[in-house]
Amino acid sequence: MANRDGVRIDLDGIFHGLEANGFDEVRVEFAPDDGGGAAAVVDVVRQAVRTANDVANEAAPDSIWGSLLTASLAGFSVRLGSMESEEALETWLAAFGGRVRAGGLSGELRATKTVRLPPWDSPHPMMTAYIALGALPALDGAGKSGWAERAVRWAAEAGGDAYVSSGGMNQLDTTGEVAAHLASTLRVASSGSVLYTDALASRAAMADIGSDGQATYQIHDASSSLAAQADRARAAILAEAEHAHYAFVAPTPRQAYGWDDRSRALPPLREEIPAHALRVHADLWSRFVPDVHCMQLLTDEHLDRVADLSRWTVTHVSAGRTLVEAPDLAGWLRPGGPAPSIVDQARADFGQALVAAGDVR
């Protein structure tokens, strides 16, 4: 292991990781000796990635590129791809190390320990809660770093092993500091997810959030009915009610990777509402709903537009937040989805709260 003024480079381990990936790419981790989570350290590491890219590609254009910086369990991880030669890799590592040294840091540069997520998809529908929190950079401490603690607390009820993912990287977290590591991914990459899964019990729970604050919470439990899984989805919504400005629940046939996956849920979205509108029009959902669902968290602005909730169970849960549920969840969660008459009546009940098609085109 080379030691360059306090930055130790495990070149053999990095080459081994590169070989294991078919010489296509490798994730390199910088594990600082001190202060891994401090904002100033994040800034230095971010600058080091830019410097290393510039230096390496000035020496040999298009020879290597570092991207997808995120937090790892021990520090920071960056994906190195488009690699033309061993010399380009060594140039990149040396330039990165020089920049972090100039920023007053010491530590180890090495291959990141990553894993593939275990298969946890299901042949049966899974309950998904979609929760809108608003852009992460604008959230206060409780809404942002606190999200990680709440998400881990919720997902951990599934039991099993914990996996933290961000920037296309998955790590098995056995440290007992899962919430802290998930919070770090939000500071460095502004997105992240946690998965708890018990393969032997065919049970899993995942919480994921993007930089726009749109989160998904998904439950898979082979031994549990959809109605029971809806209770877990409700728990996710209630945990975020103080911070969320909209939420809804829908069963999806397989793992949901974002709000666009609502297109696969039952009942189908209104024909005039494209699924990607749920993602790209995030600013609308504090005032309008894209469609009716068996369970929704609404603001007072939503309620002002609703026509009639006399057929719904309405519960005030937080300041300016109300949970509205269908009294007969079984009718919404049956295998073929709710009957058309149920959906038509629900849409009439929500009235002007339904977003106009012209607003999402």
Side-chain angles (χ1 to χ4, degrees):
M1 182 180 294
N3 190 333
R4 301 183 180 181
D5 297 328
V7 176
R8 305 173 299 281
I9 302 177
D10 181 9
L11 194 57
D12 288 343
I14 292 171
F15 276 126
H16 181 74
L18 185 61
E19 181 182 17
N21 290 329
F23 295 96
D24 182 40
E25 64 179 58
V26 64
R27 270 206 165 265
V28 173
E29 175 179 68
F30 176 62
D33 291 329
D34 189 35
V41 175
V42 177
D43 289 342
V44 169
V45 172
R46 204 180 304 279
Q47 292 165 14
V49 172
R50 290 195 292 264
T51 297
N53 284 343
D54 291 343
V55 169
N57 287 284
E58 182 176 345
D62 302 320
S63 61
I64 190 171
W65 196 257
S67 62
L68 298 176
L69 177 68
T70 189
S72 65
L73 300 186
F76 306 88
S77 179
V78 60
R79 174 189 173 274
L80 297 183
S82 304
M83 201 174 309
E84 292 295 323
S85 65
E86 293 183 5
E87 291 77 13
L89 173 61
E90 293 181 11
T91 299
W92 195 99
L93 294 171
F96 181 96
R99 182 63 187 85
V100 296
R101 283 196 306 274
L105 302 180
S106 63
E108 184 175 342
L109 262 174
R110 62 199 183 199
T112 314
K113 292 182 179 179
T114 63
V115 298
R116 290 184 179 273
L117 292 181
W120 62 276
D121 232 340
S122 169
H124 308 292
M126 297 181 284
M127 291 303 298
T128 306
Y130 301 78
I131 302 179
L133 294 166
L136 286 183
L139 291 179
D140 60 17
K144 188 174 181 179
S145 61
W147 178 84
E149 296 177 5
R150 295 187 298 274
V152 168
R153 190 180 308 122
W154 175 84
E157 290 193 24
D161 295 321
Y163 299 84
V164 175
S165 302
S166 179
M169 178 187 75
N170 310 306
Q171 293 197 284
L172 173 65
D173 194 338
T174 60
T175 66
E177 300 293 332
V178 182
H181 292 143
L182 183 58
S184 293
T185 70
L186 303 187
R187 289 193 293 271
V188 180
S190 294
S191 64
S193 66
V194 61
L195 168 70
Y196 277 82
T197 182
D198 186 340
L200 295 179
S202 297
R203 185 170 58 240
M206 181 195 72
D208 173 275
I209 195 166
S211 59
D212 58 4
Q214 289 191 336
T216 57
Y217 302 70
Q218 194 158 36
I219 309 101
H220 159 50
D221 190 340
S223 65
S224 179
S225 67
L226 275 182
Q229 292 177 47
D231 290 340
R232 295 284 294 122
R234 183 188 298 106
I237 289 176
L238 293 178
E240 296 300 326
E242 181 180 348
H243 308 283
H245 59 254
Y246 177 55
F248 64 92
V249 168
T252 50
R254 52 189 183 273
Q255 183 179 352
Y257 289 96
W259 281 39
D260 287 16
D261 283 317
R262 167 60 181 84
S263 63
R264 300 184 298 181
L266 293 174
L269 273 171
R270 298 151 59 202
E271 289 185 7
E272 63 270 31
I273 306 299
H276 71 265
L278 276 69
R279 170 176 47 84
V280 300
H281 292 285
D283 58 307
L284 292 175
W285 308 135
S286 63
R287 295 169 287 144
F288 297 96
V289 302
D291 206 347
V292 291
H293 298 90
C294 63
M295 190 185 304
Q296 299 192 100
L297 181 74
L298 305 180
T299 65
D300 291 342
E301 285 192 80
H302 291 123
L303 294 177
D304 288 342
R305 293 181 166 89
V306 169
D308 180 11
L309 291 180
S310 62
R311 282 173 284 269
W312 297 77
T313 300
V314 179
T315 307
H316 175 76
V317 295
S318 184
R321 301 295 183 268
T322 299
L323 188 66
V324 176
E325 304 176 76
D328 179 21
L329 284 179
W332 284 80
L333 301 179
R334 66 192 186 106
S341 59
I342 291 178
V343 176
D344 290 344
Q345 181 60 66
R347 287 173 177 163
D349 291 343
F350 275 79
Q352 304 264 335
L354 293 170
V355 72
D359 290 341
V360 295
R361 292 294 183 183

